Amino acid sequence: MNMFSNKKVFKEAFERRLAEKYSNTIEDSHISEQYDILGEMVRDYANYDWRKVRKEIKAESKKQLIYFSMEFLMGRLMNNNLQNLGIYDVAKEGLEELGIDINKLEDQEADAGLGNGGLGRLAACFLDSISSLGYPVQGNCIRYEYGFFKQIIQNGKQFEVPDQWLSDNYVFEVKKSKHSVEVEFGGMIETYIKDNGEFGMKTVNATHVKAVPYDVSIIGYRNKVTNTLRLWSAEPSEVNLPKHTTFEDYLTTLKELSHGLYPDDSTENGRLLRLKQQYFLVSSGLQSVIRDFLTKETDLKKLPDYYVFQLNDTHPILAIPELMRLMMDEHGYGWDDAWNVVRKSIAYTNHTIMAEALEKWPTQYLQKVCPRCLMIIEEINRRFNQEMASKNVPMADRYAMQIIKDSQVHMANLAIYASFSVNGVAKLHTDILMNETFKEFYRLYPEKFNSKTNGVTHRRWLMYANPKLADLITSKIGNKWYTAMDKEMSKFKEYADDPVIQKQVMDIKYENKLKLAKYIKEKMDIDVDPNSIFDIQVKRLHAYKRQLMNLFHIMYLYMRLVTEPDFKIYPRTFIFGAKAAPSYVYAKRIIELILAVADVINNDERVSKYLKVVFIENYGVSLAELIIPAADVSEQISTASKEASGTSNMKFMMNGAITLGTMDGANVEIHDLVGDNNIVIFGLSSDEVLSYYANGGYNAWDEFNSNENVKAVMSSLFDGPWVDKQERFKLIFDEIMNNNDTYFILKDFESYIKAQEKIEKLYQDKTNWAKMSIINIAQSGYFTSDRTIEEYVKDVWHLTKVGEDR
């Protein structure tokens, strides 16, 4: 019987399960037990569709997407799953009659510790859209026991503690021990004679680790399609225990593999561990896929007919040599057959042009972790050089495209050469990849390159995060936008000049600001005015994202307010949320400065009615769902050319915030959609930035000496009211000046001040601001990840839908 068919059936099933598992009644049960029972019921209800989808994929030989990513920043699943299954109201009302508040149960769920920033959130949005559109997908990630880290703000600094998201188990996962595989690390490579007389390669004396999958159901929006996110965890091998180390040391090695996301790469041990994690992920996933394939086919040369592998950034690139190794060493295929499979089945998404983020691994590391993969990469590189020579590729281009140079493996170069598709994630980003970063590859293989502008799942980020706004939109344009956002949402633009709708949109925004203000008061004991402009920048802290420029502007405002009696501003609340990587000292010092400035401003009665600064601790998906609907201004101020796309810009736009940004990443496409009058753009263009990098012509000291605003703010790093020790923020000054203002904070500062003044002026015309907000909402349909996925399906993956006849 369907346990969610009506309230009566639901209540009976809930009470029965609570008694069976915990021997408890509703009155005597703990809230954690109630949450666990509801989670199990939702998971089990989705299992029916989960099984049917898997059965259909196998019976009809459906091509399936295997999406490899080191991150899947899923957020909480309870509300999302209930809504997508169409059973939220039954559960909510049934629980109410049992005296249980569903919102309190939802708050019991920890954000899954499977990601950190935009890369992982994008992967999560993609899974939601792929499932909601009805395509078959399996995400692959590591089951990180302690996530990235939990951020604690203490004594004006960031501290990192383990994110114990699995401490109460994870109700939405199912352990699948029978699907475990063995992953080999290290060892030596030996040649041997095969039965057919040919030479073969095998790895001996390797350390074996059992990779155990935990499957999480990914539920499509009311279409009876449930896909899988497979999380791999390391356990001791049952058949190949190490002979030359103690079992205790072996267990330590295992624990490290699935301990946490992005180990500290400031040490050699940390860097090696990162590489081990990457290999563990791709080897586990590929072995599982091949084993499943061989239950329905016998010839691995047909693998591309059944699977396409999307590599999300450079972290999973070892899938290329590992697939070659598995086919040749484990299944007896020759080089040409294995290479043909790789070239037809693997696609690569690039997410950055930042040199430090384009991974390069020392060959000695690969020799330690996966020596056979290194041999294969060396042979790929040799054959690539032969190909380039035969095509008379210029020597300078050949050097730029080398997969191995200076004893390092350049993973992006390997990915571009081996993959059949290489995509950027916004139009500007892709143009830079083709014309700057990988221009030599583009000249050689122009057919591989394509652009797929990122998107976000509008169901989570608008329908569920901002239900009153969603209901207002539905009341005017109908509900087709739930599943056709890119086609339907533009209809809302018809109401941009409607004073009734304008008031309703602004009233909803005010309610959301009240909720955020309440959270800030409860968590930080800071009073913020919901009538002030909520100016918000929430994202991973990195120098190129320029949280520092935002802060410099706040410092500039404060200094003018306290020194110029006639200077007044419209009340502003500046809100930050960001984590700095534990070894990223500069980023952590910027957080210190934000906190120090906030402490001064929020406690200065002369300015606190005009200006407040809030740093929200431990920013993550669930907090984003509270913060984004409350934003008036969306700070998207990265140095032009540096942000591949950005996705928070899209979430803010969907919720009616006005973008204050540079012409960078997807801001370019936002600008194209809303026009000059509904966005505030400032700063250098990407062409200007790239020209300065290539040709020089900019001197940070000239900017410092010629601009009094710049000089005042920079000097305050030594003698401002936020400095308790003179050297405390010297690092920030030195980082900017000694590196010639790498990210052009000083160069763009005056333009940024003027843009902020424009924002203030625009906001005071409430009618026009509401119109701008409605236009942004209406034009945000393009940024649904549903649209992005359909483009991938058409151009790259070539999938067919499941479940259409069910």
Side-chain angles (χ1 to χ4, degrees):
M1 180 182 287
N2 178 356
M3 55 190 147
F4 290 93
S5 57
N6 58 58
K7 287 186 293 183
K8 180 175 181 294
V9 172
F10 168 77
K11 288 191 296 181
E12 289 173 354
F14 187 89
E15 290 183 292
R16 184 181 68 254
R17 283 178 171 237
L18 189 62
E20 289 172 349
K21 184 167 184 178
Y22 290 109
S23 302
N24 248 336
T25 62
I26 298 291
E27 294 74 21
D28 294 332
S29 62
H30 190 265
I31 189 170
S32 62
E33 296 170 343
Q34 297 166 3
Y35 162 78
D36 183 54
I37 293 302
L38 180 61
E40 287 186 353
M41 290 175 69
V42 173
R43 183 195 68 206
D44 293 350
Y45 182 70
N47 279 349
Y48 295 106
D49 295 330
W50 207 0
R51 184 176 64 250
K52 289 176 184 175
V53 168
R54 292 198 303 270
K55 186 176 179 181
E56 181 179 334
I57 291 169
K58 190 165 186 176
E60 299 184 16
S61 300
K62 296 272 187 181
K63 189 176 185 181
Q64 188 175 10
L65 169 66
I66 305 298
Y67 196 91
F68 281 114
S69 180
M70 291 300 288
E71 296 185 44
F72 284 88
L73 197 56
M74 301 302 295
R76 295 173 176 173
L77 289 184
M78 181 72 84
N79 180 279
N80 192 81
N81 288 352
L82 285 164
Q83 297 276 14
N84 279 8
L85 287 166
I87 56 177
Y88 183 85
D89 289 341
V90 169
K92 179 177 182 291
E93 293 166 12
L95 289 169
E96 278 178 1
E97 292 183 8
L98 293 172
I100 299 171
D101 181 348
I102 194 171
N103 296 312
K104 291 182 178 178
L105 295 194
E106 291 168 358
D107 288 340
Q108 289 293 301
E109 183 178 357
D111 279 25
L114 301 172
N116 172 37
L119 182 79
R121 188 52 237 167
L122 178 77
C125 284
F126 277 11
L127 290 187
D128 178 89
S129 282
I130 295 167
S131 298
S132 294
L133 291 167
Y135 296 109
V137 64
Q138 182 191 92
N140 276 259
C141 190
I142 293 175
R143 184 178 180 266
Y144 303 108
E145 190 174 355
Y146 294 106
F148 189 43
F149 64 82
K150 181 179 179 181
Q151 182 189 56
I152 300 293
I153 300 301
Q154 204 168 62
N155 300 322
K157 297 181 181 181
Q158 169 185 293
F159 292 91
E160 305 87 30
V161 298
D163 174 12
Q164 301 182 60
W165 72 284
L166 285 173
S167 59
D168 292 322
N169 298 317
Y170 189 45
V171 70
F172 295 110
E173 69 181 8
V174 179
K175 186 176 183 179
K176 299 285 186 70
S177 297
K178 68 177 182 178
H179 297 303
S180 300
V181 298
E182 294 265 323
V183 178
E184 299 179 357
F185 291 96
M188 298 184 299
I189 310 304
E190 288 186 352
T191 57
Y192 69 99
I193 303 295
K194 299 181 186 178
D195 292 341
N196 62 6
E198 294 178 356
F199 281 99
M201 297 277 191
K202 63 180 179 180
T203 305
V204 297
N205 297 327
T207 298
H208 289 248
V209 174
K210 185 167 80 167
V212 181
Y214 290 72
D215 287 355
V216 179
S217 54
I218 304 298
I219 299 165
Y221 181 74
R222 303 188 185 183
N223 63 351
K224 296 188 178 299
V225 173
T226 297
N227 281 305
T228 302
L229 171 59
R230 177 157 282 185
L231 307 175
W232 293 97
S233 184
E235 293 187 8
S237 170
E238 294 176 354
V239 292
N240 291 293
L241 290 175
K243 298 182 177 67
H244 305 294
T245 186
T246 67
F247 189 67
E248 287 73 20
D249 288 342
Y250 174 57
L251 288 179
T252 299
T253 300
L254 296 181
K255 191 171 181 63
E256 285 182 335
L257 276 174
S258 44
H259 180 269
L261 173 65
Y262 299 143
D264 181 1
D265 62 357
S266 64
T267 66
E268 182 171 67
N269 185 62
R271 291 191 292 273
L272 273 169
L273 181 54
R274 283 198 181 198
L275 184 61
K276 287 178 182 176
Q277 285 186 329
Q278 292 177 10
Y279 183 64
F280 177 71
L281 169 63
V282 298
S283 182
S284 303
L286 288 170
Q287 287 188 63
S288 177
V289 164
I290 288 173
R291 184 170 61 188
D292 185 62
F293 172 84
L294 292 175
T295 64
K296 53 197 172 191
E297 282 283 355
T298 57
D299 187 357
L300 282 173
K301 294 196 295 291
K302 296 180 180 178
L303 195 70
D305 297 333
Y306 292 81
Y307 295 98
V308 57
F309 303 98
Q310 188 71 43
L311 309 182
N312 194 31
D313 215 3
T314 52
H315 310 124
I317 299 304
L318 282 173
I320 292 164
E322 178 63 4
L323 182 52
M324 295 284 292
R325 184 193 73 81
L326 289 168
M327 287 194 66
M328 293 189 297
D329 295 2
E330 303 295 331
H331 296 280
Y333 288 84
W335 180 279
D336 291 343
D337 286 337
W339 182 242
N340 190 48
V341 168
V342 166
R343 292 294 292 267
K344 288 182 177 179
S345 63
I346 288 182
Y348 163 56
T349 298
N350 174 277
H351 285 275
T352 184
I353 64 164
M354 303 281 286
E356 66 269 25
L358 293 170
E359 288 185 307
K360 298 178 285 289
W361 289 112
T363 52
Q364 66 193 49
Y365 285 15
L366 287 157
Q367 183 65 42
K368 288 181 180 178
V369 173
C370 47
R372 179 63 173 132
C373 284
L374 176 60
M375 290 179 66
I376 292 168
I377 293 169
E378 290 171 338
E379 179 62 15
I380 292 172
N381 192 51
R382 186 187 71 80
R383 293 181 183 226
F384 183 31
N385 275 282
Q386 284 184 331
E387 180 183 335
M388 289 191 287
S390 70
K391 293 180 178 179
N392 297 313
V393 175
M395 291 303 296
D397 286 12
R398 288 194 219 177
Y399 181 76
M401 290 186 283
Q402 288 298 308
I403 294 168
I404 302 175
K405 53 186 172 183
D406 303 322
S407 299
Q408 290 187 312
V409 177
H410 291 242
M411 303 304 281
N413 289 2
L414 172 60
I416 296 170
Y417 177 53
S419 301
F420 71 86
S421 168
V422 178
N423 74 276
V425 291
K427 184 179 184 302
L428 174 63
H429 172 234
T430 306
D431 287 345
I432 292 172
L433 291 181
M434 295 188 299
N435 299 316
E436 297 287 340
T437 313
F438 299 123
K439 58 183 182 291
E440 299 85 2
F441 274 108
Y442 181 61
R443 282 197 289 266
L444 188 59
Y445 305 117
E447 71 284 354
K448 290 190 178 192
F449 286 79
N450 59 94
S451 182
K452 298 288 176 283
T453 297
N454 283 342
V456 300
T457 170
H458 61 280
R459 285 168 288 273
R460 178 182 285 269
W461 292 107
L462 177 51
M463 287 170 61
Y464 307 155
N466 201 344
K468 289 189 176 180
L469 179 59
D471 288 345
L472 173 62
I473 294 167
T474 302
S475 72
K476 295 302 169 186
I477 68 171
N479 64 9
K480 289 182 180 178
W481 69 275
Y482 296 174
T483 53
M485 172 89 164
D486 53 328
K487 298 178 180 68
E488 297 291 322
M489 186 55 81
S490 59
K491 295 176 181 177
F492 193 55
K493 191 175 179 180
E494 296 173 19
Y495 300 92
D497 291 305
D498 186 324
V500 175
I501 302 303
Q502 288 178 352
K503 183 178 185 305
Q504 288 178 297
V505 167
M506 296 307 289
D507 285 348
I508 291 166
K509 179 67 70 176
Y510 183 75
E511 285 184 44
N512 291 329
K513 291 168 76 172
L514 280 175
K515 289 178 189 173
L516 180 56
K518 181 173 181 285
Y519 177 87
I520 290 168
K521 177 63 177 175
E522 289 174 353
K523 296 294 182 180
M524 284 153 274
D525 197 26
I526 299 172
D527 292 300
V528 298
D529 179 6
N531 290 302
S532 66
I533 302 172
F534 276 25
D535 184 308
I536 300 180
Q537 187 176 20
V538 284
K539 52 184 75 237
R540 177 172 60 91
L541 207 145
H542 194 287
Y544 83 83
K545 294 178 183 287
R546 301 202 294 191
Q547 285 95 341
L548 191 57
M549 186 167 68
N550 186 350
L551 183 63
F552 279 180
H553 172 250
I554 296 167
M555 294 155 68
Y556 155 83
L557 289 177
Y558 174 78
M559 289 189 288
R560 287 198 65 185
L561 283 167
V562 297
T563 59
E564 301 177 30
D566 295 330
F567 179 68
K568 296 288 185 290
I569 63 171
Y570 191 91
R572 306 286 283 272
T573 299
F574 291 94
I575 297 171
F576 295 87
K579 288 183 177 181
S583 60
Y584 194 175
V585 176
Y586 179 50
K588 293 174 78 170
R589 194 61 52 87
I590 291 171
I591 289 178
E592 278 189 54
L593 182 59
I594 294 171
L595 294 164
V597 170
D599 188 54
V600 169
I601 290 175
N602 296 341
N603 291 293
D604 189 332
E605 293 182 358
R606 296 173 296 175
V607 303
S608 60
K609 65 180 177 180
Y610 298 109
L611 200 56
K612 286 286 174 71
V613 182
V614 177
F615 186 93
I616 294 183
E617 180 182 75
N618 202 41
Y619 175 68
V621 176
S622 293
L623 277 172
E625 291 166 357
L626 172 69
I627 294 167
I628 289 172
D632 294 309
V633 178
S634 164
E635 294 268 1
Q636 307 296 333
I637 59 177
S638 54
T639 308
S641 80
K642 294 299 181 185
E643 187 72 83
S645 166
T647 51
S648 70
N649 45 6
M650 304 168 189
K651 297 164 194 167
F652 280 109
M653 180 191 187
M654 281 180 186
N655 284 275
I658 308 306
T659 301
L660 168 59
T662 52
M663 287 293 272
D664 195 26
N667 292 354
V668 175
E669 284 138 301
I670 293 176
H671 170 266
D672 291 346
L673 286 163
V674 303
D676 290 338
N677 294 330
N678 300 294
I679 189 172
V680 177
I681 296 294
F682 75 96
L684 297 172
S685 70
S686 60
D687 287 343
E688 289 171 323
V689 168
L690 294 171
S691 177
Y692 277 129
Y693 287 148
N695 306 313
Y698 171 63
N699 187 302
W701 284 104
D702 289 344
E703 199 70 33
F704 178 88
N705 290 316
S706 63
N707 187 321
E708 288 303 316
N709 291 328
V710 166
K711 182 180 285 187
V713 169
M714 291 291 285
S715 298
S716 79
L717 295 172
F718 294 99
D719 58 15
W722 27 80
V723 181
D724 53 358
K725 298 176 184 175
Q726 191 173 9
E727 299 286 302
R728 184 178 180 190
F729 300 117
K730 180 177 181 292
L731 170 66
I732 294 174
F733 185 95
D734 290 346
E735 185 72 24
I736 294 173
M737 303 310 297
N738 293 348
N739 293 295
N740 199 34
D741 189 18
T742 303
Y743 299 111
F744 300 101
I745 290 173
L746 309 187
K747 181 69 174 173
D748 276 349
F749 189 55
E750 206 62 35
S751 177
Y752 183 57
I753 290 173
K754 288 181 171 59
Q756 286 281 11
E757 289 170 350
K758 184 177 180 180
I759 283 284
E760 181 177 322
K761 184 178 179 181
L762 286 168
Y763 188 79
Q764 291 178 73
D765 181 350
K766 293 299 174 62
T767 297
N768 185 57
W769 188 269
K771 177 180 177 179
M772 293 170 66
S773 182
I774 291 168
I775 289 171
N776 271 269
I777 295 165
Q779 296 298 97
S780 69
Y782 177 76
F783 294 109
T784 172
S785 46
D786 290 6
R787 186 267 314 154
T788 313
I789 293 307
E790 290 288 19
E791 290 181 5
Y792 272 107
V793 169
K794 177 177 175 289
D795 299 336
V796 182
W797 300 335
H798 308 297
L799 307 173
T800 57
K801 294 187 178 185
V802 297
E804 289 185 303
D805 58 343
R806 289 193 276 113

